[in-house]
Amino acid sequence: MQIRPALEADWPSIWPFFTTIVDSGDSYAYPLDLDLASARELWMERPQGRTTVAVDDEGVVIGSATMGPNRPGRGAHVATASFMVDPAVRRAGVGRALGVEMISWAREAGYRAIQFNAVVETNTAAVALWRDLGFEIVGTVPEAFDHATRGLVGLHVMHKRLV
Ligand SMILES: CC(C)(COP(=O)(O)OP(=O)(O)OC[C@H]1O[C@@H](n2cnc3c(N)ncnc32)[C@H](O)[C@@H]1OP(=O)(O)O)[C@@H](O)C(=O)NCCC(=O)NCCS
């Protein structure tokens, strides 16, 4: 597996698992009616940040991350990111590799911390992974996410200092 910057040509390979993940309704509060073009704007257009892909040995895109400043201006010293791994290759280390690479990028880019704004509290895999990579839950917004099968659940704000 390799992590590299995403190219525009990668988007058609990201879209199938992007839409599967968003439609499953258990991890992302994105608009419900995203089509291929509007989803691309959300995931690929990051002028001050970047989007990465994880590719397997045959060059197939199996995961992606998008990252950049969490806030503009006076909040721009804190980074944020989003991650998606193809459900066909879960629990094989792809999410961890994307996360580790994102933390290195943020550190090298001079960010002081990373903040994940909306980690669904029932998203066991994500919460475990981010804790393992040194993130702490600094708070949980109650009932902020309308989970497709579990109803209203909380959103964790997760934070990691880099300096
Ligand atoms: C969260 C996500 C990115 C993890 O990607 P992944 O490639 O499956 O994760 P990894 O194989 O790298 O696992 C890393 C660690 O996460 C945790 N983890 C992963 N899947 C897990 C599961 N099903 N149950 C419990 N812990 C899990 C473990 O701590 C694991 O480490 P270990 O395998 O050494 O025990 C992936 O599940 C995903 O894309 N989910 C949908 C979108 C999403 O939730 N994005 C994050 C939003 S904050």
Side-chain angles (χ1 to χ4, degrees):
M1 189 202 344
Q2 183 204 352
I3 312 287
R4 62 163 172 77
L7 309 169
E8 279 302 315
D10 291 320
W11 174 244
S13 306
I14 300 170
W15 165 249
F17 60 82
F18 178 102
T19 193
T20 299
I21 289 168
V22 173
D23 287 351
S24 69
D26 56 6
S27 56
Y28 278 100
Y30 282 158
L32 298 175
D33 54 354
L34 282 176
D35 59 15
L36 183 138
S38 48
R40 187 186 64 77
E41 297 293 310
L42 259 179
W43 198 258
M44 303 291 280
E45 300 272 315
R46 293 275 159 163
Q48 290 175 299
R50 75 206 249 270
T51 302
T52 56
V53 286
V55 294
D56 68 13
D57 293 345
E58 271 107 51
V60 176
V61 176
I62 50 178
S64 183
T66 186
M67 61 203 76
N70 188 48
R71 297 273 179 250
R74 297 193 177 278
H77 54 288
V78 178
T80 193
S82 300
F83 299 82
M84 291 193 181
V85 172
D86 188 331
V89 295
R90 292 275 170 84
R91 204 77 196 252
V94 180
R96 183 185 294 278
L98 286 163
V100 166
E101 199 275 345
M102 184 272 157
I103 293 166
S104 299
W105 168 81
R107 191 172 269 124
E108 281 164 27
Y111 288 99
R112 295 184 61 83
I114 303 169
Q115 178 176 326
F116 297 153
N117 299 298
V119 183
V120 177
E121 66 179 347
T122 52
N123 189 348
T124 313
V127 174
L129 175 55
W130 307 141
R131 277 186 192 278
D132 206 39
L133 292 180
F135 287 78
E136 292 177 336
I137 296 169
V138 295
T140 305
V141 186
E143 300 187 353
F145 186 78
D146 187 7
H147 191 290
T149 57
R150 303 171 88 148
L152 298 179
V153 298
L155 286 176
H156 293 319
V157 178
M158 298 190 76
H159 182 264
K160 177 183 173 71
R161 286 182 190 278
L162 299 178
V163 292

